[in-house]
Amino acid sequence: MSVAFVKEESAETAAETLLPDRPVSPHPNLVTQAGLEALKRQLEEAREAYGAASAIEDVNERRRQAAGPLRDLRYFTERVRTAQVMPEPVASEVVAFGSTVTFSREDGRVQRYRIVGEDEADPKAGTISYVSPVARQLMGKRVGDVVSVAGQELELVAISCDG
């Protein structure tokens, strides 16, 4: 095997192991208690994956396999460190962080979401981030209020504090 080939592979491997950091939101890292627990689980999973990758004997393969978990370790360490657990809402008169909101759209669709932290948001699972356009417009509103989001009117039809 030529030295040129080895150097080229090493340069290629080095480029593969320099993954950019996952972007961290500029917004406060507000989370529910369940959101904090999820972040801690993801941090532990990243630690385990990094540990497994670190045990690989081939240095190039070890670097390749460790790159993703190392990036995740940095991200989740920061997210756990900066997490601010928000108290569960105790009243359902006004939309707040942790509230479950039900609203109707102009086209007749009715949607229900719980307002949570950015890392725990999953619209398909019924959660949206507190910094999403819909959540930002609904915060502080009461049942019957109408807000406009992306040129569409949404009427708040229910607020609950059952997370």
Side-chain angles (χ1 to χ4, degrees), residues 40-52 69 73 77:
K40 288 178 179 178
R41 277 192 309 278
Q42 290 170 302
L43 175 58
E44 187 54 36
E45 289 169 7
R47 280 190 182 120
E48 290 171 7
Y50 181 73
L73 262 174
T77 297

Side-chain angles (χ1 to χ4, degrees), residues 67-82:
L70 186 57
R71 175 178 59 176
D72 289 348
L73 262 174
R74 290 189 304 266
Y75 178 80
F76 289 118
T77 297
E78 178 66 10
R79 296 307 277 175
V80 168
R81 184 186 71 74
T82 61

Side-chain angles (χ1 to χ4, degrees), residues 20 31 33 60 67 79 104 106-108 121 129-130 157 160:
V31 297
Q33 185 62 46
N60 290 331
R79 296 307 277 175
S104 62
E106 292 173 319
D107 62 9
S129 167
Y130 80 101
V157 296
S160 64

Side-chain angles (χ1 to χ4, degrees), residues 31-41 85 88 114 120:
V31 297
T32 63
Q33 185 62 46
L36 177 60
E37 296 308 315
L39 286 172
K40 288 178 179 178
R41 277 192 309 278
V85 177
E88 293 292 325
R114 182 163 187 234
E120 46 189 326

Side-chain angles (χ1 to χ4, degrees), residues 46-119:
R47 280 190 182 120
E48 290 171 7
Y50 181 73
S54 296
I56 296 172
E57 288 189 33
D58 178 83
V59 69
N60 290 331
E61 188 60 22
R62 180 172 57 237
R63 286 182 186 149
R64 266 195 284 278
Q65 295 296 321
L70 186 57
R71 175 178 59 176
D72 289 348
L73 262 174
R74 290 189 304 266
Y75 178 80
F76 289 118
T77 297
E78 178 66 10
R79 296 307 277 175
V80 168
R81 184 186 71 74
T82 61
Q84 299 173 41
V85 177
M86 298 298 290
E88 293 292 325
V90 292
S92 57
E93 289 82 37
V94 176
V95 176
F97 186 95
S99 295
T100 299
V101 296
T102 305
F103 55 87
S104 62
R105 295 180 172 271
E106 292 173 319
D107 62 9
R109 286 184 296 156
V110 175
Q111 294 180 291
R112 178 181 163 105
Y113 293 104
R114 182 163 187 234
I115 300 173
V116 296
E118 292 177 276
D119 289 310

